[in-house]
């Protein structure tokens, strides 16, 4: 079996960089332009806090949709699973992340799940705090604690761009408010949503978020249980079924562990009980997922035998624990 090392990851970057030409960079997001087309970076962290990385590890980018996992986690901590899923469903949607039509069809006019925009906006309305700033600070603090990176912050330019281009998200929020299916204050929910999309970080931070999830919400270095492990089970199931836009099924089959992506090209992955993985490759496909990043995840999964549905792998873990 392949041994994880910086050299191994460097080989993957070299092998999959050519695929970055097959995607498109979302140049409307401040900080990303055509010059980023060939950027490709990866970081993998294990439970002993060893971190291996290669490629574009020093480029920072906005979290975009990957922020939806952190807001869901805080809402679960604040209200519990039952209450959260009264406002938002837990089913995969199989349509574009910002679709409106699904809110009107079906028996219940709730968003399909917390990973689509409507669902994430509804989740933002659940997070406790007196003001939007206070609620945002709780999310930012959680990210700083998970990553140990005090420098993570919102990028004001990205935030402005989210607001300027946010009409589709406004439509979703005001529609949910008018239908009464989700009780929310649209302005506040949207403001928080725009802010969390704008949080800027690097690929190492993504690996640390992935590891935190893979480790059931326990901070390894502090040996501290930060959030209930039950919520991490929920989070991982939602990531697996809906984390990769309407390509989540493909990722479940081809990669086989929970992942969440954003349109700036970042993906974080949790390999339960083993690794956190971050990839960054801003050239994305038509579904919104990093083309090079997807290749790397697929390859790491195969090389290190990380597909959680592989019974042989479960058997190996059991044997080594005996
Ligand atoms: N910020 C954009 C939006 O809310 C894109 C989010 C994403 O899918 O990464 O529509």
């Amino acid at each position: 079996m392949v041994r994880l090392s910086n050299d191994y990851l460097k080989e993957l970057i070299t092998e999959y960089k050519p695929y970055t030409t097959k995607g498109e960079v979302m140049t409307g997001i401040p900080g990303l332009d055509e010059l980023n087309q060939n950027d490709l970076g990866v970081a993998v962290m294990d439970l002993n806090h060893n971190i291996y990385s290669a490629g574009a590890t020093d480029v920072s980018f906005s979290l975009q949709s990957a922020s939806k996992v952190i807001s869901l986690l805080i809402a679960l901590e604040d209200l519990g699973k039952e209450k959260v899923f009264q406002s938002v469903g837990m089913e995969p949607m199989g349509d574009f992340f910002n679709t409106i039509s699904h809110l009107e069809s079906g028996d219940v006019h709730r968003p399909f799940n917390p990973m689509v925009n409507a669902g994430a906006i509804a989740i933002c309305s659940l997070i406790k705090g007196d003001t939007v700033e206070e609620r945002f600070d709780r999310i930012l603090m959680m990210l700083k604690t998970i990553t140990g990176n005090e420098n993570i912050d919102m990028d004001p330019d990205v935030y402005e761009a989210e607001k300027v281009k946010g009409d589709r998200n406004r439509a979703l929020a005001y529609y949910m408010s008018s239908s009464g299916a989700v009780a929310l204050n649209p302005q506040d929910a949207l403001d928080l949503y725009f802010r969390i999309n704008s949080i800027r970080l690097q690929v190492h931070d993504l690996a640390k978020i992935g590891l935190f999830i893979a480790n059931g919400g326990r901070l390894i270095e502090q040996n501290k249980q930060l959030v209930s492990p039950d919520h991490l089970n929920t989070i991982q199931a939602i990531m697996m079924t809906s984390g990769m836009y309407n390509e989540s099924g493909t990722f479940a089959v081809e990669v086989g562990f929970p992942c969440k992506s954003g349109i700036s090209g970042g993906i974080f992955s949790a390999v339960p009980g083993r690794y956190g993985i971050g990839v960054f490759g801003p050239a994305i496909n038509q579904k919104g997922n990093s083309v090079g990043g997807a290749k790397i995840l697929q390859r790491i999964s195969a090389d290190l035998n990380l597909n959680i549905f592989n019974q042989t792998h479960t058997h190996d873990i059991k044997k080594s624990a005996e």
Side-chain angles (χ1 to χ4, degrees):
M1 206 200 291
V2 164
R3 235 179 82 91
L4 196 51
S5 66
N6 291 335
D7 285 343
Y8 163 68
L9 294 178
K10 217 184 257 174
E11 278 171 31
L12 297 192
I13 296 289
T14 309
E15 187 168 343
Y16 295 115
K17 223 182 207 317
Y19 285 86
T20 57
T21 55
K22 296 183 194 291
E24 235 175 84
V25 180
M26 295 299 287
T27 50
I29 301 176
L32 285 183
D33 58 39
E34 276 89 8
L35 293 176
N36 297 105
Q37 176 82 34
N38 304 118
D39 284 352
L40 193 58
V42 56
V44 184
M45 198 167 191
D46 67 19
L47 290 180
N48 296 321
H49 254 217
N50 297 311
I51 190 148
Y52 307 93
S53 60
T57 52
D58 53 353
V59 183
S60 68
F61 49 90
S62 52
L63 202 46
Q64 297 292 328
S65 250
S67 63
K68 293 174 166 91
V69 170
I70 309 300
S71 46
L72 173 60
L73 186 57
I74 295 186
L76 284 167
E77 280 286 294
D78 280 356
L79 296 170
K81 189 165 83 176
E82 209 172 307
K83 275 246 162 64
V84 166
F85 289 102
Q86 276 166 10
S87 299
V88 186
M90 51 172 85
E91 300 304 336
M93 186 170 72
D95 208 338
F96 277 101
F97 60 94
N98 56 7
T99 182
I100 297 177
S101 60
H102 284 269
L103 286 176
E104 210 179 6
S105 57
D107 302 333
V108 189
H109 303 286
R110 289 175 318 179
F112 261 70
N113 65 65
M115 300 293 111
V116 294
N117 286 15
I121 294 165
I123 291 291
C124 280
S125 75
L126 300 179
I127 291 171
K128 288 188 178 154
D130 288 338
T131 59
V132 175
E133 286 77 14
E134 205 179 300
R135 286 145 75 192
F136 176 70
D137 279 347
R138 292 186 59 218
I139 296 176
L140 196 58
M141 196 52 75
M142 168 79 90
L143 273 171
K144 288 182 177 179
T145 307
I146 292 173
T147 58
N149 182 354
E150 273 299 311
N151 297 323
I152 293 180
D153 210 343
M154 184 181 88
D155 180 324
D157 294 337
V158 179
Y159 173 57
E160 281 311 311
E162 292 293 321
K163 285 197 284 189
V164 169
K165 289 185 301 171
D167 280 352
R168 181 71 163 226
N169 290 321
R170 285 186 192 94
L172 291 167
Y174 283 91
Y175 183 83
M176 286 191 287
S177 168
S178 77
S179 75
V182 178
L184 86 170
N185 171 330
Q187 288 99 325
D188 286 0
L190 283 163
D191 193 12
L192 185 57
Y193 176 82
F194 293 146
R195 284 171 194 244
I196 62 173
N197 272 263
S198 315
I199 295 172
R200 186 177 270 280
L201 38 58
Q202 290 170 320
V203 78
H204 283 98
D205 302 311
L206 293 183
K208 289 178 186 169
I209 297 169
L211 187 72
F212 173 76
I213 296 169
N215 197 36
R218 178 171 279 277
L219 291 172
I220 295 167
E221 278 181 332
Q222 291 93 320
N223 194 23
K224 184 177 168 205
Q225 190 69 42
L226 193 66
V227 294
S228 158
D230 283 352
H231 297 330
L232 273 306
N233 294 350
T234 304
I235 292 273
Q236 288 177 88
I238 297 285
M239 283 168 68
M240 193 78 177
T241 49
S242 303
M244 301 302 287
Y245 305 112
N246 48 352
E247 223 175 11
S248 301
T250 305
F251 271 76
V253 172
E254 303 294 352
V255 175
F257 47 76
C259 303
K260 179 72 196 99
S261 70
I263 54 162
S264 49
I267 304 175
F268 63 75
S269 308
V271 186
R274 301 196 70 186
Y275 297 109
I277 307 176
V279 291
F280 169 63
I284 57 171
N285 65 15
Q286 293 200 328
K287 303 277 169 77
N289 294 317
S290 168
V291 182
K295 286 277 171 204
I296 287 183
L297 288 172
Q298 200 173 334
R299 178 67 183 278
I300 291 178
S301 177
D303 284 351
L304 301 180
N305 195 14
L306 299 182
N307 187 320
I308 62 171
F309 301 110
N310 184 345
Q311 292 303 309
T312 330
H313 153 240
T314 314
H315 184 69
D316 286 349
I317 290 179
K318 271 202 198 124
K319 265 209 327 222
S320 65
E322 276 164 15

